[in-house]
Amino acid sequence: MKTISLVVPCYNEEPTIEIFYNTVEKVIADNAAAFEGVDHEYVFVNDGSSDGTLNVFRQLNTAHPDTVHYVSFSRNFGKEAGLLAGLQHTTGDYVAVMDVDLQDPPELLPKMLTMLQTDEYDCIGTMREDRAGEPFIRSFLSRSFYSVVNKISKVQIIPNARDYRLMTRQMVDAILAMPEANRFSKGIFNWVGFRTTYLKFENQPRSAGETHWSIWQLFDYSIDAIVDFSDVPLKIATFTGGLLSFASIISIFVVIIRKLIFNNSASGWASLVTILLLIGGIQLFCLGIIGNYIGKIYIETKHRPHYIVQEEK
Ligand code: UDP
Ligand code: MG
C-alpha cells in the first residue's frame, strides 16, 4: 500500500480548514479508482495563527487520528517555514503541497496522482491559466517579476506556476537535503531538477477569509527570489562601477586638455554637482545590493532552526 501525504500550511485559516478537509475527502471518495491502493494522510501546519486554527486541527485529529496530523509553531514563521515543516513530517511515497483556501483545486489530485504513477514524471506541478479576478497592478507587477527573475537567475521560475504540486518521495528528500535558511520554494523546486510537467487550471477565488500578502510583502518576496538564486545584481554593481571609473578617466583627460588648450576648466559646476549626486546614488545603490547579500549570509551563518514546534500530533 502506498501513501500520499498532503502538506497544508495554515495561518489564521479557521474558516477554511474544514471546507478544505471535506472537499478533499469528497474528491478522494468520488475518485476511488485513482486512489486505489493509495492511503492518504494530512500534515497540517499551524504557522502561529492567532485564531482558532489549532483547535480545528485538534478536533480533526481527534476525529481522524490515523490520517490527520499537525505541527503547530510557537509563532508565525512564514509560509516557507510551514512548507518545510510539513514536508519534514510527511511519511508518504507521494507528497502534495497545497493551500488550504481551495485556490489549489483538490479536484486535480486524482489526475496528478495518476500521471505521477505512470513513472513518466517525478513532479506534477500546476499553473493558473490566467490571473482573472486579480487587480491589474498585481498581475502587472507579477509579470514584471517573472521576466526579471528569469533573465538574471540561474533557476527558471515558470510564470503563474503555483506551489501546488505532487512529488515523489525522492524529490521531496532532495528538497529536504537543502539546508538553507533563506528558502524560496519556487526556486528550490526548480533547482533540485527532476522531470516536472504542469497542469493548467482556472484562477479560483478563496473559499473564505482573506489573503495574507500585501504588495509590500510581495515586493520583499521578489527581492528574496532574486538574491537567493542569483549573483547577477552583484555583477551589475561591479559593471556599473567599472563603467563609471572608465568614464571618469576619460573626463579627467577632457578637463586637463581643456585647461591646457582653452584655459577654462572651471565652468560647468552645475553639471558637476549632478554627476556627484548620480555617483553617490549609484554607490549607495550598490552598497544596498551588497548589503542584501551580506544580510542573507548573516542569517545563514547563525544556523538558527527554521521554525520552532510547540505541539504536534
Ligand atoms: N500561509 C502561511 N503562513 C503565512 C502566510 C500564509 O502558512 O505567514 C498559508 C495560508 O494559510 C494559505 C497559503 O499559505 O494556506 C497561501 O496564503 P494566501 O492564500 O494568503 O496567499 P495567496 O493565495 O493570496 O497568494
Ligand atoms: Mg490563497
Side-chain angles (χ1 to χ4, degrees):
M1 195 84 175
K2 302 242 175 188
T3 305
I4 175 171
S5 305
L6 307 178
V7 171
V8 196
C10 301
Y11 177 49
N12 291 342
E13 297 282 8
E14 190 178 352
T16 57
I17 299 162
E18 249 160 303
I19 304 176
F20 172 82
Y21 179 83
N22 293 331
T23 312
V24 174
E25 286 298 314
K26 185 166 183 314
V27 167
I28 293 178
D30 290 351
N31 294 276
F35 287 90
E36 171 104 60
V38 182
D39 278 338
H40 67 284
E41 67 164 7
Y42 298 82
V43 181
F44 287 106
V45 180
N46 170 30
D47 187 9
S49 304
S50 52
D51 65 356
T53 297
L54 180 57
N55 277 333
V56 181
F57 289 173
R58 287 184 183 132
Q59 283 159 14
L60 278 174
N61 170 262
T62 313
H64 317 279
D66 294 333
T67 54
V68 176
H69 305 283
Y70 65 84
V71 183
S72 183
F73 291 172
S74 60
R75 65 168 171 86
N76 179 251
F77 281 88
K79 186 185 172 187
E80 297 295 347
L83 277 180
L84 175 67
L87 290 178
Q88 283 173 336
H89 285 80
T90 55
T91 57
D93 308 273
Y94 311 113
V95 178
V97 298
M98 53 202 306
D99 288 358
V100 71
D101 56 14
L102 295 186
Q103 285 189 302
D104 294 335
E107 291 75 19
L108 289 177
L109 277 175
K111 188 167 179 201
M112 291 160 85
L113 185 61
T114 309
M115 283 173 78
L116 200 66
Q117 284 172 324
T118 60
D119 278 339
E120 216 174 305
Y121 300 105
D122 305 290
C123 175
I124 316 293
T126 60
M127 60 163 96
R128 290 188 286 183
E129 232 158 44
D130 54 24
R131 299 191 149 247
E134 222 182 46
F136 169 77
I137 180 80
R138 202 165 156 152
S139 54
F140 169 77
L141 286 177
S142 110
R143 262 201 315 276
S144 328
F145 159 71
Y146 285 121
S147 80
V148 171
V149 170
N150 285 339
K151 277 202 188 82
I152 70 176
S153 184
K154 290 198 185 79
V155 294
Q156 290 299 297
I157 298 171
I158 316 286
N160 293 342
R162 303 272 304 168
D163 285 343
Y164 182 27
R165 57 188 59 227
L166 183 67
M167 298 171 278
T168 57
R169 170 56 42 189
Q170 190 188 22
M171 178 161 170
V172 172
D173 287 342
I175 291 167
L176 293 178
M178 295 178 74
E180 60 237 70
N182 297 292
R183 298 191 78 84
F184 179 71
S185 284
K186 282 191 193 339
I188 290 179
F189 290 143
N190 191 282
W191 192 91
V192 294
F194 296 102
R195 297 160 302 168
T196 303
T197 186
Y198 290 87
L199 298 180
K200 284 190 176 172
F201 68 89
E202 264 178 42
N203 202 12
Q204 305 289 318
R206 243 180 179 278
S207 61
E210 272 175 15
T211 175
H212 301 94
W213 293 86
S214 65
I215 287 271
W216 170 247
Q217 280 171 313
L218 286 173
F219 177 70
D220 208 34
Y221 185 72
S222 321
I223 301 273
D224 285 349
I226 295 169
V227 175
D228 287 356
F229 281 93
S230 162
D231 55 7
V232 169
L234 289 173
K235 290 180 182 143
I236 292 175
T238 314
F239 180 76
T240 315
L243 201 70
L244 282 174
S245 310
F246 181 70
S248 67
I249 290 171
I250 297 206
S251 84
I252 287 172
F253 280 113
V254 171
V255 169
I256 293 175
I257 291 168
R258 223 163 58 166
K259 169 78 183 160
L260 291 179
I261 300 180
F262 305 106
N263 205 19
N264 67 347
S265 65
S267 68
W269 67 270
S271 52
L272 199 69
V273 171
T274 323
I275 289 168
L276 275 180
L277 282 177
L278 172 73
I279 292 178
I282 290 173
Q283 281 177 337
L284 279 181
F285 177 71
C286 295
L287 267 183
I289 292 177
I290 297 169
N292 253 303
Y293 284 90
I294 294 180
K296 299 256 175 198
I297 297 170
Y298 177 61
I299 299 287
E300 293 290 347
T301 54
K302 288 204 216 192
H303 297 297
R304 285 188 177 161
H306 297 92
Y307 54 84
I308 293 167
V309 175
Q310 189 165 19
E311 186 181 320
E312 62 181 296
K313 272 245 163 71

